Amino acid sequence: MASRANHLVLLGCGLLCVAAFLYAQMTGRSTAQAQVYQGPTSQAAIPSPAAASNFPIASDARLAGDVKQTRFILDLDKAVQFRTFALADPYRVVVDLPQVSFQLPTGVGVAGRGLVKAFRYGLIMPGGSRIVFDLTGPARIAKSYVLEAANGQPPRLVLEFEEVDRTAFVQSLAPESRPELRPAIAEANAAVARVDAPAAPPSPPDKRPVIVIDPGHGGVDNGTQAGGGDIMEKNLVLGFGLALRDRIEKSGKYRVVMTRTDDTFIPLGDRVKVARSESAALFVSIHADALKRGEGDAQGATIYTLSDKASDSEAERLADAENKSDAIGGVNLTDEPTEVADILIDLVQRETKTFSNRFARMLMGEMKNTVRMHKHPLKSAGFRVLKAPDVPSVLVELGYVSNKGDLEHLVSENWRNRTVGSMAQAIDAFLAKRLATAGPGK
Ligand SMILES: [Zn+2]
């Protein structure tokens, strides 16, 4: 246990140092974008991926064994430090690593073996990568180690899972094995702020209304997928969000804040916090839906607002899927504060809801002229990311990656330009009206 604790401290420092180093070395966006799928609509604004070559490369991963003992092996090009921790309900094991360039075969991790149902991997924050294992039942890591290169074999990270009962599993959730994601992210964000802060005379405060654009998913959470994993929601919606930002900023009337500008995982609660801390005038979350084979073939864009009760079963299914993001990313949901039920918040929320619904209708009015919409384009459900009590918020599902026609749209630059244009127009119309009635200073 003592050596494990040392490991944690060392790695914790390592992660932060790497993050700080990255931001000290680089200006603008992080190298994380090297892993972002740009597709046929690649943007010139994305820096070259050359800098990513310094990160350790993971080239292959495999599972061996059975339901009693399962081994995971990750091939690397250099040894790395790591730490592991477990999460309950659902049973998961998380491995945090320094930033790794994952160059694994497509589809790896989708099918599990033995104690591992499936696993995912990706960037969790600048300088830090993560692998999340979904377990078939309670299991513990009996052994974990990194093998140096030997006998023609590359360096390997090896985890040995062993079946345990629930009591033993819960006991293994010791305080030092709790995720320390939040402080780490706060540190990384602080590092960003320090580097991004203007060095010389403070400029007058920017009083323009703030629009928060929230590309869904990211990092370890891929979102929906198509083309056998080649096309991921997280990359489609990031490209779309950046294009929408550029379009809105052109007018100079608004300030746009992105919840993410690279392939990083952001917990749902942190996305809401961005909207609140910026006192945003509007929050727009961007997603792309998918139906499983056999569940029909829906198509077109849908605009969602928050409600306690889902407008139909499809909206409920979707909200459940989108709300799973934190579990997918390995965030310990037990850390989440319970909902604040307060009469004041309730009043503000009711007003916010009116504005959210108004914006959703205006957005549909604009989008339907240029974009193929779902046959029921306005819906509502309990999306956690829409829960800022004082910021009008909508979630747009741009289309279905499971539908051939929609997918062609989603990767088309022409379609994206038209859609971004109609959304920017709706946003401008909504805010112009809102600000005119609310007077200056929102
Ligand atoms: Zn999504």
Side-chain angles (χ1 to χ4, degrees):
M1 242 18 210
S3 72
R4 177 118 175 258
N6 280 340
H7 215 141
L8 289 176
V9 172
L10 268 177
L11 187 74
C13 168
L15 282 177
L16 294 179
C17 296
V18 172
F21 172 79
L22 261 177
Y23 277 95
Q25 291 293 305
M26 301 177 54
T27 51
R29 295 173 188 152
S30 88
T31 51
Q33 285 188 335
Q35 292 179 22
V36 172
Y37 165 83
Q38 292 302 319
T41 57
S42 174
Q43 281 192 319
I46 308 299
S48 105
S53 60
N54 287 334
F55 297 116
I57 294 168
S59 54
D60 202 3
R62 57 203 168 273
L63 291 162
D66 53 34
V67 291
K68 295 269 168 226
Q69 282 174 319
T70 307
R71 178 178 291 179
F72 169 79
I73 301 149
L74 183 71
D75 290 343
L76 296 156
D77 71 336
K78 56 182 96 153
V80 295
Q81 290 187 309
F82 65 98
R83 67 160 195 163
T84 65
F85 59 86
L87 295 168
D89 309 323
Y91 296 114
R92 286 156 293 162
V93 161
V94 176
V95 181
D96 278 341
L97 306 154
Q99 185 162 344
V100 167
S101 170
F102 287 102
Q103 298 173 13
L104 304 182
T106 306
V108 75
V110 174
R113 179 176 179 142
L115 292 161
V116 175
K117 200 191 287 176
F119 64 87
R120 299 172 295 279
Y121 52 89
L123 204 64
I124 190 82
M125 62 178 182
S129 291
R130 172 171 283 192
I131 308 172
V132 183
F133 296 88
D134 295 327
L135 305 179
T136 53
R140 72 179 187 106
I141 293 197
K143 279 188 201 148
S144 61
Y145 45 91
V146 170
L147 291 169
E148 299 287 344
N151 306 324
Q153 293 266 34
R156 279 150 290 159
L157 167 68
V158 182
L159 307 175
E160 294 181 10
F161 297 87
E162 191 179 77
E163 187 190 33
V164 291
D165 59 23
R166 180 170 171 89
T167 313
F169 182 87
V170 169
Q171 277 166 1
S172 78
L173 304 175
E176 78 261 24
S177 67
R178 295 276 179 194
E180 280 140 26
L181 180 65
R182 279 158 196 286
I185 282 183
E187 271 297 319
N189 287 347
V192 178
R194 278 195 295 279
V195 174
D196 285 354
S203 42
D206 189 340
K207 292 209 168 136
R208 292 175 298 169
V210 173
I211 298 156
V212 173
I213 297 174
D214 174 50
H217 314 276
V220 72
D221 174 15
N222 296 326
T224 55
Q225 298 182 50
D230 282 345
I231 298 174
M232 299 183 193
E233 178 185 357
K234 65 173 181 177
N235 298 328
L236 290 174
V237 298
L238 176 59
F240 190 95
L242 292 170
L244 180 58
R245 173 194 67 183
D246 294 348
R247 183 69 63 97
I248 294 169
E249 281 185 339
K250 255 190 200 164
S251 78
K253 290 198 272 186
Y254 310 105
R255 187 160 69 84
V256 178
V257 174
M258 305 288 296
T259 55
R260 68 180 179 100
T261 56
D262 59 25
D263 186 18
T264 304
F265 176 80
I266 313 283
L268 295 172
D270 287 6
R271 297 170 191 260
V272 178
K273 266 185 225 155
V274 170
R276 301 208 64 205
S277 66
E278 294 283 349
S279 305
L282 191 59
F283 176 90
V284 183
S285 192
I286 310 285
H287 290 257
D289 200 355
L291 286 184
K292 287 204 184 88
R293 213 171 287 169
E295 286 182 1
D297 187 25
Q299 61 177 45
T302 315
I303 300 160
Y304 287 88
T305 49
L306 178 68
S307 77
D308 299 336
K309 202 172 173 308
S311 54
D312 61 35
S313 60
E314 203 206 341
E316 190 167 5
R317 175 216 34 103
L318 182 75
D320 286 348
E322 300 290 10
N323 289 346
K324 278 203 184 89
S325 178
D326 284 353
I328 288 168
V331 176
N332 198 347
L333 293 175
T334 54
D335 289 349
E336 289 290 312
T338 47
E339 301 274 297
V340 190
D342 184 272
I343 184 80
L344 283 174
I345 287 189
D346 193 54
L347 282 172
V348 175
Q349 232 157 8
R350 228 175 295 168
E351 196 199 35
T352 302
K353 198 173 172 179
T354 307
F355 283 117
S356 300
N357 290 337
R358 180 181 301 168
F359 174 62
R361 284 194 302 274
M362 292 176 82
L363 188 55
M364 191 201 45
E366 280 297 336
M367 284 178 78
K368 71 167 194 258
N369 299 323
T370 43
V371 184
R372 182 161 79 174
M373 301 299 289
H374 189 274
K375 60 179 189 264
H376 304 295
L378 288 180
K379 294 190 185 191
S380 58
F383 292 91
R384 291 184 57 214
V385 78
L386 299 180
K387 285 196 171 166
D390 46 0
V391 181
S393 304
V394 302
L395 183 147
V396 181
E397 296 281 347
L398 294 169
Y400 291 79
V401 299
S402 51
N403 176 271
K404 197 162 164 274
D406 276 10
L407 187 58
E408 276 167 20
H409 288 157
L410 288 165
V411 299
S412 143
E413 183 156 20
N414 188 352
W415 180 89
R416 186 166 79 179
N417 284 340
R418 282 188 288 127
T419 310
V420 158
S422 63
M423 286 178 72
Q425 201 147 0
I427 289 169
D428 188 39
F430 169 75
L431 290 179
K433 195 171 173 201
R434 172 118 205 250
L435 299 170
T437 49
K442 286 200 291 290

Short mmCIF file of all heavy atoms in Angstrom, two decimals, residues 216-217 221 223-224 233 237 286-289 318 321-322 395 397, ligand 1:
data_model
loop_
_atom_site.label_atom_id
_atom_site.label_comp_id
_atom_site.label_asym_id
_atom_site.label_seq_id
_atom_site.Cartn_x
_atom_site.Cartn_y
_atom_site.Cartn_z
N GLY A 216 -20.08 18.47 -27.35
CA GLY A 216 -20.25 17.36 -26.42
C GLY A 216 -19.07 16.40 -26.40
O GLY A 216 -18.23 16.40 -27.30
N HIS A 217 -19.00 15.63 -25.30
CA HIS A 217 -18.03 14.52 -25.19
C HIS A 217 -16.58 15.02 -25.26
O HIS A 217 -16.31 16.16 -24.92
CB HIS A 217 -18.34 13.45 -26.25
CG HIS A 217 -19.80 13.12 -26.29
ND1 HIS A 217 -20.38 12.22 -25.44
CD2 HIS A 217 -20.82 13.65 -27.04
CE1 HIS A 217 -21.68 12.18 -25.68
NE2 HIS A 217 -21.98 13.03 -26.63
N ASP A 221 -14.28 10.03 -23.75
CA ASP A 221 -15.69 9.84 -24.12
C ASP A 221 -15.88 10.20 -25.59
O ASP A 221 -15.90 11.36 -25.96
CB ASP A 221 -16.56 10.74 -23.21
CG ASP A 221 -18.03 10.73 -23.62
OD1 ASP A 221 -18.43 9.83 -24.39
OD2 ASP A 221 -18.76 11.62 -23.16
N GLY A 223 -18.49 9.61 -27.56
CA GLY A 223 -19.85 9.86 -28.04
C GLY A 223 -20.26 8.78 -29.02
O GLY A 223 -19.70 7.69 -29.03
N THR A 224 -21.23 9.10 -29.88
CA THR A 224 -21.68 8.11 -30.85
C THR A 224 -20.63 7.95 -31.95
O THR A 224 -19.79 8.82 -32.15
CB THR A 224 -23.02 8.53 -31.49
OG1 THR A 224 -22.86 9.83 -32.05
CG2 THR A 224 -24.13 8.58 -30.45
N GLU A 233 -18.51 11.18 -32.76
CA GLU A 233 -19.29 12.37 -32.43
C GLU A 233 -18.41 13.46 -31.84
O GLU A 233 -18.54 14.63 -32.18
CB GLU A 233 -20.40 11.99 -31.44
CG GLU A 233 -21.24 13.19 -30.99
CD GLU A 233 -22.25 12.82 -29.92
OE1 GLU A 233 -22.36 11.64 -29.55
OE2 GLU A 233 -22.94 13.75 -29.44
N VAL A 237 -18.56 17.22 -33.53
CA VAL A 237 -19.18 18.35 -32.85
C VAL A 237 -18.14 19.41 -32.46
O VAL A 237 -18.45 20.59 -32.36
CB VAL A 237 -20.02 17.91 -31.62
CG1 VAL A 237 -21.16 17.01 -32.06
CG2 VAL A 237 -19.17 17.24 -30.55
N ILE A 286 -23.64 21.08 -28.46
CA ILE A 286 -23.71 20.49 -29.80
C ILE A 286 -23.43 18.99 -29.73
O ILE A 286 -22.41 18.57 -29.18
CB ILE A 286 -22.64 21.13 -30.74
CG1 ILE A 286 -22.71 22.66 -30.68
CG2 ILE A 286 -22.79 20.62 -32.17
CD1 ILE A 286 -23.86 23.27 -31.40
N HIS A 287 -24.33 18.21 -30.31
CA HIS A 287 -24.20 16.75 -30.30
C HIS A 287 -24.62 16.15 -31.64
O HIS A 287 -25.17 16.84 -32.50
CB HIS A 287 -25.06 16.14 -29.19
CG HIS A 287 -24.55 16.43 -27.82
ND1 HIS A 287 -23.87 15.50 -27.06
CD2 HIS A 287 -24.58 17.57 -27.07
CE1 HIS A 287 -23.52 16.05 -25.91
NE2 HIS A 287 -23.94 17.30 -25.89
N ALA A 288 -24.38 14.85 -31.78
CA ALA A 288 -24.91 14.09 -32.91
C ALA A 288 -25.40 12.76 -32.37
O ALA A 288 -24.70 12.11 -31.60
CB ALA A 288 -23.84 13.88 -33.98
N ASP A 289 -26.59 12.39 -32.75
CA ASP A 289 -27.26 11.21 -32.19
C ASP A 289 -26.97 9.97 -33.03
O ASP A 289 -26.40 10.06 -34.11
CB ASP A 289 -28.77 11.50 -32.14
CG ASP A 289 -29.50 10.61 -31.15
OD1 ASP A 289 -28.87 9.71 -30.57
OD2 ASP A 289 -30.71 10.80 -30.97
N LEU A 318 -32.35 9.41 -25.15
CA LEU A 318 -31.21 10.24 -25.52
C LEU A 318 -30.61 10.93 -24.29
O LEU A 318 -29.39 10.95 -24.10
CB LEU A 318 -31.63 11.30 -26.54
CG LEU A 318 -30.46 12.16 -26.98
CD1 LEU A 318 -29.56 11.40 -27.94
CD2 LEU A 318 -30.92 13.46 -27.61
N ALA A 321 -28.57 8.59 -22.37
CA ALA A 321 -27.29 8.31 -23.04
C ALA A 321 -26.32 9.48 -22.85
O ALA A 321 -25.15 9.28 -22.51
CB ALA A 321 -27.52 8.05 -24.52
N GLU A 322 -26.80 10.71 -23.04
CA GLU A 322 -25.91 11.86 -22.92
C GLU A 322 -25.47 12.06 -21.47
O GLU A 322 -24.35 12.48 -21.20
CB GLU A 322 -26.58 13.14 -23.44
CG GLU A 322 -26.99 13.09 -24.92
CD GLU A 322 -25.81 13.10 -25.88
OE1 GLU A 322 -24.66 12.96 -25.44
OE2 GLU A 322 -26.06 13.23 -27.10
N LEU A 395 -29.79 22.11 -26.31
CA LEU A 395 -28.88 21.08 -26.81
C LEU A 395 -29.35 20.71 -28.21
O LEU A 395 -30.51 20.37 -28.41
CB LEU A 395 -28.90 19.87 -25.87
CG LEU A 395 -27.95 18.71 -26.20
CD1 LEU A 395 -27.47 18.05 -24.90
CD2 LEU A 395 -28.61 17.67 -27.09
N GLU A 397 -29.01 18.29 -31.39
CA GLU A 397 -28.51 17.07 -32.01
C GLU A 397 -28.53 17.35 -33.51
O GLU A 397 -29.59 17.50 -34.10
CB GLU A 397 -29.39 15.86 -31.67
CG GLU A 397 -29.42 15.50 -30.19
CD GLU A 397 -28.19 14.71 -29.73
OE1 GLU A 397 -27.42 14.23 -30.58
OE2 GLU A 397 -28.02 14.59 -28.50
ZN ZN B 1 -23.76 13.41 -27.56
#
